[in-house]
Amino acid sequence: MEGAEENPAESSSSAPRSEEPAGSAKGREVLPPEEPEGCARPLETTPKKLCGYLSKFGGKGPIRGWKSRWFFYDERKCHLYYSRTAQDANPLDSIDVSTAVFDCKANAEEGTFEIKTPSRIITLKAATKQAMLYWLQQLQMKRWEFHNSPPAPPATPDAALAGNGPALRLELEQEEAELEEFLCPVKTPPGLVGLAAASQPVPAMPLALQNISLKHLGTEIQNTMHNIRSNKQTQGTGHTPPGEDSPLSEEPQREEQPSSPDPGTPGKDSADSLKPPKSFLSTNLIQKAKLQSSTFPLFTEGLIRNRTAQEKVLALEQQVLMLTKELTAQKELVKILHKALEAAQQEKRVSSMYLAAAEDKDRLELVRHKVRQIAELGRRVEALEQERESLVQTASLREQQVQELQQHVQLLMDKNQAKQQVICKLSEKVTQDFMRPLATPDAANRDFLSQQEKMEHLKDDMEAYRTQNRFLNSEIHQVTKIWRKVAEKERALLMKCAYLQAKNCQVESKYLAGLRRLQEAIGGEASECSELLRQLIQEALQWEAGDSSADSVVLSPISEYDEYGFLTVPNYEVEDLKLLAKIQALEVHSHHLLAHEAVERPLRERWAALGELAPSAELKQLLRAGVPHEHRPHIWRWLVRFRVQHLQAPGRYQELLSRSQACKHPAARQIELDLNRTFPNNKHFTCPTSSFPDKLRRVLLAFSWQNPTIGYCQGLNRLAAIALLVLDEEESAFWCLVAIVEVIMPADYYSKTLLASQVDQRVLQDLLSEKLPRLMAHLGQHRVDLSFITFNWFLVVFADSLISNILFQVWDAFLYEGTKVVFRYALAIFKYNEEAILRLQDGLEIYQYLRFFTKTICNSQKLMNIAFNDMNPFPMKQLWQLRTAHRERLEAELHELEQFKAEYLETRTCQGPAVPESCTSEDEGDLEA
C-alpha cells in the first residue's frame, strides 16, 4: 500500500492487484500445494471432456421416439458411449466415431443431426442449434485426432501431455485454422455440454417407460441397482448429495481434485476431499479473470488508457513535426539574412574606399554606382506594383467565384431541404398505409402480410442451408483428409504384403529346389523315403497359395497365363521339368513383387512424363529398362513406323492380301504346317475359337508376296506372332515383320542359305572368347558347339527361349537399337549362367542343360544390367568388322563346297548308272511277279 501511495500514477492498476494475495492465500488454505500448479495453466490448455445430454431417436412400436441419453466420448477408443443418465455405471451402447461421418439437415427439426457409421445411422437432437454445431465440430476434431495419433495413450497422462503437448497443440491450431475456412469455431454452450451438464437434472420425458431402453434391459437393471446402492451409501454417510457419487461423475471430478490431502489441514475428513471444490473453483476463476484484466489491455479501462496514450503520442508527433518545419524555415531566414548582411558589409567597404579616395573621379564613380542602384530599385518597385495589381485583380475574380459558389451551395441546400420534406411526406404516407390495414384488413393486405411471413421463413431457411453448407464442406474436408491418410496406410500395408509374399515365393522355390536335389540324391531306390519324397513333390506341384486358407490375403496370386497369354507354369511331361517350371514361376513372381515399387512404379512415371516420342538418349534408356504393358502397343507402332516409313504405302497390305487370295503362293503349304506349331504354350494360338491363327496366316501370306526372294522361312511365324500379341492388328504386325526382316536384320538372314545367320554365329563365338574366355575354354575342352543352341536365338530373337516378361523387354530395345541388342543378350545369358555351366563336367550333360537353361532366368533386372553394363565396351564398328571378315571366309568355304559338288556330279555323270547283273530293281521284281 505504501508503494501505491508513493506512485499515484499506478493507483488505478494496483487496486485490483491488491485483492490477489488475499484470494490466493485462501486458495492455499483450502487446496493442497499440487493444485495451484494445475490451476496456473491457462483455461484454454486444460483438456475438456466431451459429454452432455442429447435426445436419441430409436425404439420400436409404440415406444418409438426420442429418448434422453447421456453421451460421453472415450479418447482411447474413439467411441461415443451413451447411457440413460450421467450416474449410470454401465453404458447402454457406443458409436464408433473413427469410421463415422456427420450430417445435419437444414429442413429437419432444430438441433437434429445424424451420425452415419458403416453399420447404422444414429439420429440425435441437441437442445439448441449452437449445441448441435458444437457437438458436430468437437466430434470432427476428435475423429481427426484419433486418426492422426493412433497409438494407445501411455500409463501416465501428465507425462504424455507434457511430452506430446507442443506437437498436439500445433496440430490442433492447424486444425482450427482449417476449420475457420469453412465453419467458425462454435463457442461452448453453457450448461448444456461438459462437466457442468452432469449436475443438471435429467431432461424430463412424457412417459417414464418411453426413456427406458428395452433393447439393453440387462444394462438398465444393473444401472438401477447400482444407483439404488449408491443412494443408500450416500444417505448413510451424508457427505455427498445423491447422484454425485457415480463412477461416471466422479471420474471428471477426480481430475480436478488434488491427488493427496492437504497436510496443512489435518482436522478434515478424507471424504471431504472428494467433494468438488466449487467455491474454490469460482474464486480461482474470478482471480484469473482479474489477473487477465490487469495484465492484458482487453477491458474498457485498459482500452481507454491505451487510447489516451496513443492520442498523446500522436499529438506529440504532430508538435515535433510542426517544430521541425518551423526550425527549417528559421534556418532558411537566417541564411537569407546572412547573405543580406554580407552584401551590406561589402557595400560598406566599397563606400568607405570611395570616400577615402583623394581624387574626385573616384567619388564620382561612387555616385554613379548609387544612381544605377536607385534606377534598378525603381524598376523592381514598378514590377512589384504591376504584380500587386494583377494579384488584386485575381483576388477580386476569386471573390466573385466564391460568391457564385456560395449561391450554388445555397440553391443545393434549398433543393435538399425540399427533397427532405418530400421524403418526410412520403414516409408519413407509407406509415399511414401500413397502419391502415391493421384497422381495416382486406384481402390484398393479408396477401402482403403472408408474403412478408414467407420472406421471413425463406430467410430462416437460407440461413439454415448456409450453416448446413458450411458444416458439410468442413465434413467433406475432414473425411477427405482421413481417406488420404487411410490410403497411405493401405499403400504401406500393400507394399509390406507384396514383400512378404515375395519372400514366401522365395521360400517355396527353395523348398522345391531342395526336394529336387533330394530326389536326385535318392534316385530310383524303392524305399519309404523315395515314396514320401514323391508325395511331397506331388503336393507341392498341386498346392496353390489361394487355396491354403479362406482367411489368407492373396495380394497378387500366380495366374495360369500372363497378360500376353503365355503359360506361367509350362505343362511339361517330365516330372523334373515340371518341378523346375514351378520353381521358375515362383522366382519370377518373387522378383516381380519385389521390383514393383522400386523399379516398375518409377519407370511408369517416367514413361507417363515422356511426352512426344523422338529418338533420344532418354528414350534409349527407357526402352532398355522395358516398356510398361499399357504403353507397349503405342511405342511399338512408333518404332515400326520409324523403321519402315520409306517402305510403307497406303493400302499396300490390302493389296497383298488380295493377291494372296487370287493366286496361291508356293509357300502357303509350309505356312499351314507351321501355324499349328506356333507357340503351343500360348492360349491365343492353341484355343480353337481364337482369331489369332487366321490373322497370322494372312500376315505370313502377305509377306510372302511382299518379299518373293524369301517367301517364307521357318521362324517368321514366331516373329509375326510376337508382333500380333502386342499390336493386335494385322497390318501393324505385317509392317513389324517387314521392319525386322528387311530393315533391322542384315540381308540374306532368312534366305535359303541363311548366310548372314551363319556369319552371326561365328561373330558370337569371337565375342564369347573375348568377353567370357573361361567359359569358352571349358566348352572347347568338352567339344560343345554352341551354334546348335544359339542359332535359333538369333533367327527368332529369343522367341522360343526366354520367359515372356524378359522376351518383350529384349524386343523393346531390339526394335530401336537393332541386332546389337541380340548379341548383348546372348552374351548376358551365358554370363548369367556361367558358374552353373562351369560346374558341369560332361559334354552330354552340358548339351542337356543348354537345351532349357534360358527358361531358368527369372531376374530380368539382373540380366539387363549384365547385357548393357557388364558387356561394355561393345562398339558397332567392331561388330561390322567381324561380320565382314567372317562373311568373306564363309563365302569362300561355300564356293569351295560348290566346286566339290560340281566335280562330284561331273564324275558321276561320266561313270553313268552302273547296276550289278545279280541285282534286280524293284520294278523288275514286280513285273516278274
mmCIF file of all heavy atoms in Angstrom, residues 823-839:
data_model
loop_
_atom_site.group_PDB
_atom_site.id
_atom_site.type_symbol
_atom_site.label_atom_id
_atom_site.label_comp_id
_atom_site.label_asym_id
_atom_site.label_seq_id
_atom_site.Cartn_x
_atom_site.Cartn_y
_atom_site.Cartn_z
ATOM 1 N N PHE A 823 23.082 -59.667 -79.714
ATOM 2 C CA PHE A 823 24.409 -60.083 -79.264
ATOM 3 C C PHE A 823 24.600 -59.799 -77.776
ATOM 4 O O PHE A 823 25.162 -60.613 -77.039
ATOM 5 C CB PHE A 823 25.491 -59.366 -80.088
ATOM 6 C CG PHE A 823 25.687 -59.931 -81.456
ATOM 7 C CD1 PHE A 823 25.119 -59.323 -82.558
ATOM 8 C CD2 PHE A 823 26.445 -61.081 -81.640
ATOM 9 C CE1 PHE A 823 25.304 -59.844 -83.834
ATOM 10 C CE2 PHE A 823 26.629 -61.608 -82.920
ATOM 11 C CZ PHE A 823 26.059 -60.989 -84.013
ATOM 12 N N ARG A 824 24.179 -58.625 -77.349
ATOM 13 C CA ARG A 824 24.338 -58.276 -75.926
ATOM 14 C C ARG A 824 23.618 -59.277 -75.023
ATOM 15 O O ARG A 824 24.178 -59.746 -74.028
ATOM 16 C CB ARG A 824 23.791 -56.863 -75.672
ATOM 17 C CG ARG A 824 24.713 -55.734 -76.086
ATOM 18 C CD ARG A 824 24.113 -54.401 -75.671
ATOM 19 N NE ARG A 824 24.960 -53.258 -75.954
ATOM 20 C CZ ARG A 824 25.915 -52.804 -75.148
ATOM 21 N NH1 ARG A 824 26.137 -53.446 -74.002
ATOM 22 N NH2 ARG A 824 26.627 -51.732 -75.460
ATOM 23 N N TYR A 825 22.374 -59.595 -75.354
ATOM 24 C CA TYR A 825 21.610 -60.509 -74.504
ATOM 25 C C TYR A 825 22.125 -61.947 -74.617
ATOM 26 O O TYR A 825 22.054 -62.712 -73.653
ATOM 27 C CB TYR A 825 20.125 -60.433 -74.847
ATOM 28 C CG TYR A 825 19.396 -59.387 -74.045
ATOM 29 C CD1 TYR A 825 19.122 -58.140 -74.574
ATOM 30 C CD2 TYR A 825 18.990 -59.638 -72.741
ATOM 31 C CE1 TYR A 825 18.462 -57.166 -73.838
ATOM 32 C CE2 TYR A 825 18.332 -58.684 -71.993
ATOM 33 C CZ TYR A 825 18.068 -57.438 -72.548
ATOM 34 O OH TYR A 825 17.428 -56.482 -71.796
ATOM 35 N N ALA A 826 22.636 -62.346 -75.793
ATOM 36 C CA ALA A 826 23.216 -63.683 -75.904
ATOM 37 C C ALA A 826 24.424 -63.824 -74.990
ATOM 38 O O ALA A 826 24.579 -64.837 -74.276
ATOM 39 C CB ALA A 826 23.600 -63.949 -77.359
ATOM 40 N N LEU A 827 25.286 -62.804 -74.969
ATOM 41 C CA LEU A 827 26.432 -62.831 -74.062
ATOM 42 C C LEU A 827 25.976 -62.778 -72.606
ATOM 43 O O LEU A 827 26.548 -63.459 -71.737
ATOM 44 C CB LEU A 827 27.343 -61.638 -74.364
ATOM 45 C CG LEU A 827 28.035 -61.635 -75.737
ATOM 46 C CD1 LEU A 827 28.739 -60.317 -75.962
ATOM 47 C CD2 LEU A 827 29.026 -62.782 -75.843
ATOM 48 N N ALA A 828 24.944 -61.964 -72.314
ATOM 49 C CA ALA A 828 24.457 -61.846 -70.937
ATOM 50 C C ALA A 828 23.864 -63.159 -70.433
ATOM 51 O O ALA A 828 24.003 -63.499 -69.251
ATOM 52 C CB ALA A 828 23.416 -60.728 -70.849
ATOM 53 N N ILE A 829 23.189 -63.910 -71.310
ATOM 54 C CA ILE A 829 22.601 -65.192 -70.894
ATOM 55 C C ILE A 829 23.704 -66.163 -70.460
ATOM 56 O O ILE A 829 23.595 -66.849 -69.432
ATOM 57 C CB ILE A 829 21.762 -65.774 -72.042
ATOM 58 C CG1 ILE A 829 20.478 -64.946 -72.216
ATOM 59 C CG2 ILE A 829 21.412 -67.228 -71.780
ATOM 60 C CD1 ILE A 829 19.696 -65.297 -73.458
ATOM 61 N N PHE A 830 24.803 -66.235 -71.224
ATOM 62 C CA PHE A 830 25.899 -67.116 -70.837
ATOM 63 C C PHE A 830 26.600 -66.614 -69.574
ATOM 64 O O PHE A 830 27.018 -67.411 -68.734
ATOM 65 C CB PHE A 830 26.900 -67.241 -71.989
ATOM 66 C CG PHE A 830 26.428 -68.140 -73.085
ATOM 67 C CD1 PHE A 830 26.029 -67.620 -74.310
ATOM 68 C CD2 PHE A 830 26.356 -69.513 -72.901
ATOM 69 C CE1 PHE A 830 25.583 -68.445 -75.326
ATOM 70 C CE2 PHE A 830 25.914 -70.347 -73.918
ATOM 71 C CZ PHE A 830 25.528 -69.819 -75.130
ATOM 72 N N LYS A 831 26.728 -65.279 -69.423
ATOM 73 C CA LYS A 831 27.329 -64.733 -68.208
ATOM 74 C C LYS A 831 26.455 -65.016 -66.995
ATOM 75 O O LYS A 831 26.962 -65.308 -65.900
ATOM 76 C CB LYS A 831 27.517 -63.216 -68.388
ATOM 77 C CG LYS A 831 28.119 -62.512 -67.186
ATOM 78 C CD LYS A 831 29.543 -62.941 -66.919
ATOM 79 C CE LYS A 831 30.146 -62.151 -65.763
ATOM 80 N NZ LYS A 831 31.515 -62.603 -65.442
ATOM 81 N N TYR A 832 25.144 -64.947 -67.176
ATOM 82 C CA TYR A 832 24.189 -65.181 -66.083
ATOM 83 C C TYR A 832 24.326 -66.610 -65.534
ATOM 84 O O TYR A 832 24.226 -66.837 -64.327
ATOM 85 C CB TYR A 832 22.772 -64.937 -66.611
ATOM 86 C CG TYR A 832 21.688 -64.877 -65.568
ATOM 87 C CD1 TYR A 832 21.214 -63.670 -65.090
ATOM 88 C CD2 TYR A 832 21.105 -66.038 -65.064
ATOM 89 C CE1 TYR A 832 20.207 -63.603 -64.146
ATOM 90 C CE2 TYR A 832 20.101 -65.990 -64.117
ATOM 91 C CZ TYR A 832 19.649 -64.772 -63.659
ATOM 92 O OH TYR A 832 18.658 -64.723 -62.720
ATOM 93 N N ASN A 833 24.559 -67.585 -66.439
ATOM 94 C CA ASN A 833 24.629 -68.995 -66.038
ATOM 95 C C ASN A 833 26.049 -69.555 -66.136
ATOM 96 O O ASN A 833 26.239 -70.775 -66.217
ATOM 97 C CB ASN A 833 23.703 -69.834 -66.929
ATOM 98 C CG ASN A 833 22.246 -69.449 -66.781
ATOM 99 O OD1 ASN A 833 21.551 -69.935 -65.907
ATOM 100 N ND2 ASN A 833 21.790 -68.556 -67.641
ATOM 101 N N GLU A 834 27.056 -68.690 -66.138
ATOM 102 C CA GLU A 834 28.432 -69.148 -66.341
ATOM 103 C C GLU A 834 28.869 -70.134 -65.264
ATOM 104 O O GLU A 834 29.428 -71.206 -65.563
ATOM 105 C CB GLU A 834 29.379 -67.939 -66.364
ATOM 106 C CG GLU A 834 30.818 -68.317 -66.633
ATOM 107 C CD GLU A 834 31.730 -67.089 -66.672
ATOM 108 O OE1 GLU A 834 31.261 -65.996 -66.266
ATOM 109 O OE2 GLU A 834 32.880 -67.236 -67.097
ATOM 110 N N GLU A 835 28.632 -69.806 -64.012
ATOM 111 C CA GLU A 835 29.091 -70.678 -62.921
ATOM 112 C C GLU A 835 28.404 -72.030 -62.960
ATOM 113 O O GLU A 835 29.028 -73.071 -62.710
ATOM 114 C CB GLU A 835 28.838 -69.990 -61.579
ATOM 115 C CG GLU A 835 29.599 -68.692 -61.386
ATOM 116 C CD GLU A 835 31.107 -68.909 -61.450
ATOM 117 O OE1 GLU A 835 31.573 -69.996 -61.045
ATOM 118 O OE2 GLU A 835 31.820 -67.996 -61.905
ATOM 119 N N ALA A 836 27.123 -72.054 -63.299
ATOM 120 C CA ALA A 836 26.408 -73.329 -63.383
ATOM 121 C C ALA A 836 26.960 -74.194 -64.512
ATOM 122 O O ALA A 836 27.068 -75.422 -64.379
ATOM 123 C CB ALA A 836 24.920 -73.076 -63.579
ATOM 124 N N ILE A 837 27.325 -73.578 -65.648
ATOM 125 C CA ILE A 837 27.880 -74.347 -66.774
ATOM 126 C C ILE A 837 29.273 -74.863 -66.427
ATOM 127 O O ILE A 837 29.644 -76.005 -66.765
ATOM 128 C CB ILE A 837 27.910 -73.479 -68.044
ATOM 129 C CG1 ILE A 837 26.488 -73.079 -68.443
ATOM 130 C CG2 ILE A 837 28.575 -74.213 -69.202
ATOM 131 C CD1 ILE A 837 26.412 -72.083 -69.582
ATOM 132 N N LEU A 838 30.066 -74.053 -65.729
ATOM 133 C CA LEU A 838 31.422 -74.477 -65.386
ATOM 134 C C LEU A 838 31.421 -75.654 -64.414
ATOM 135 O O LEU A 838 32.404 -76.412 -64.357
ATOM 136 C CB LEU A 838 32.187 -73.298 -64.769
ATOM 137 C CG LEU A 838 32.555 -72.152 -65.728
ATOM 138 C CD1 LEU A 838 33.192 -71.005 -64.974
ATOM 139 C CD2 LEU A 838 33.472 -72.644 -66.832
ATOM 140 N N ARG A 839 30.362 -75.821 -63.658
ATOM 141 C CA ARG A 839 30.296 -76.967 -62.740
ATOM 142 C C ARG A 839 30.026 -78.282 -63.449
ATOM 143 O O ARG A 839 30.229 -79.353 -62.877
ATOM 144 C CB ARG A 839 29.222 -76.707 -61.680
ATOM 145 C CG ARG A 839 29.622 -75.686 -60.631
ATOM 146 C CD ARG A 839 28.691 -75.736 -59.440
ATOM 147 N NE ARG A 839 27.343 -75.330 -59.783
ATOM 148 C CZ ARG A 839 26.885 -74.088 -59.677
ATOM 149 N NH1 ARG A 839 27.695 -73.120 -59.238
ATOM 150 N NH2 ARG A 839 25.654 -73.783 -59.996
#
